[in-house]
Amino acid sequence: MAARVLVFYGSYRSDRMGIRLADYVVSGLRARGAETELIDAKAVGLPMLDRMYKEYARGTAPAPLEALAAKIREADAFVFVTGEYNWGMQPGLKNLTDHFLEEWFWRPAAVASYSAGRIAGARASLMWHGTLSEMGMVVISSTLTVGPIAQALSADGRPIGEAGKFLDQAFPRFVDDLLWWTEAAKMQRTRKSPPY
Ligand SMILES: Cc1cc2nc3c(=O)[nH]c(=O)nc-3n(C[C@H](O)[C@H](O)[C@H](O)COP(=O)(O)O)c2cc1C
């Protein structure tokens, strides 16, 4: 059965650029046979965190929260596409992520970062590693770092120029690593129930 991978992206800006990388990752994973869905935090539109999903009595969570909880539970792996605002995380993606906890457990996560400059969102990527790990995911060591994003990907998410070439060179190893851990975690989940 194909691996089910959710790709998360969380910029709410009208002129957002990171959607290019999110689209690139989604089509690259599909080309490798993974059943892949983009979860665009802006489109999901969760409010600023009030109650976490688990704090609602069964069947009473707002519909978008319930639907997303089901998708996360059914997924085998996650990719977080992150930009960097003032050396930090983008609040839209962090807000969405914080609504859940146990739903994330026992699955691998990979981080793909980008920015307008050559630092390529590396500082936000570092922060996501700690956060995703705290939330019970196995954060893989392979990362993508894309910058300047405008010189690496066209508006429809196709690689362009030298930076795009580097991205295409890095992508196969990133996916290999993610799918290796996806298979390992999936096998372990079928062999042994998680302790909760
Ligand atoms: C509020 C804000 C803060 C930013 N801070 C950084 C930063 O610390 N480092 C960086 O490399 N780029 C920074 N940038 C530039 C972003 O990398 C660039 O705008 C990128 O396209 C943002 O992602 P988005 O277009 O998907 O929202 C910042 C942009 C904004 C809007």
Side-chain angles (χ1 to χ4, degrees):
M1 207 170 111
R4 285 164 303 188
V5 185
L6 297 180
V7 176
F8 291 88
Y9 170 61
S11 171
Y12 278 51
R13 294 190 326 113
S14 307
D15 303 322
R16 61 193 195 162
M17 297 288 290
I19 191 69
R20 300 177 181 204
L21 181 56
D23 288 342
Y24 173 89
V25 170
V26 167
S27 45
L29 284 164
R30 284 186 183 148
R32 288 288 302 268
E35 209 179 278
T36 309
E37 183 178 342
L38 173 66
I39 305 293
D40 178 351
K42 186 179 182 180
V44 175
L46 297 182
M48 287 296 284
L49 178 66
D50 173 12
R51 291 195 182 124
M52 291 174 73
Y53 171 69
K54 68 176 178 183
E55 293 176 299
Y56 287 92
R58 191 181 283 264
T60 68
L65 204 55
E66 195 70 69
L68 189 50
K71 284 181 185 180
I72 295 171
R73 270 195 306 261
E74 284 159 18
D76 299 311
F78 312 110
V79 178
F80 289 81
V81 175
T82 177
E84 178 174 305
Y85 293 163
N86 298 314
W87 289 30
M89 294 169 167
Q90 290 168 308
L93 186 55
K94 182 64 163 56
N95 182 57
L96 178 145
T97 308
D98 285 337
H99 277 82
F100 306 97
L101 186 61
E102 286 81 357
E103 293 74 23
W104 301 112
F105 283 8
W106 318 109
R107 261 69 62 78
V111 181
S113 71
Y114 66 91
S115 75
R118 279 188 299 164
I119 201 84
R123 290 167 291 226
S125 176
L126 185 64
M127 287 177 197
W128 275 109
H129 275 240
T131 296
L132 300 177
S133 172
E134 164 62 13
M135 299 179 91
M137 290 166 250
V138 179
V139 188
I140 69 162
S141 63
S142 294
T143 55
L144 293 177
T145 45
V146 181
I149 187 161
Q151 289 171 32
L153 290 164
S154 64
D156 58 355
R158 271 180 297 122
I160 49 173
E162 276 302 296
K165 221 180 283 172
F166 285 132
L167 173 58
D168 265 348
Q169 279 165 10
F171 192 71
R173 188 204 149 118
F174 176 80
V175 179
D176 286 347
D177 200 3
L178 181 64
L179 294 181
W180 193 96
W181 281 107
T182 302
E183 197 181 321
K186 205 169 169 178
M187 257 162 54
Q188 181 71 349
R189 287 199 310 279
T190 56
R191 210 176 65 83
K192 197 170 179 198
S193 300
Y196 60 78

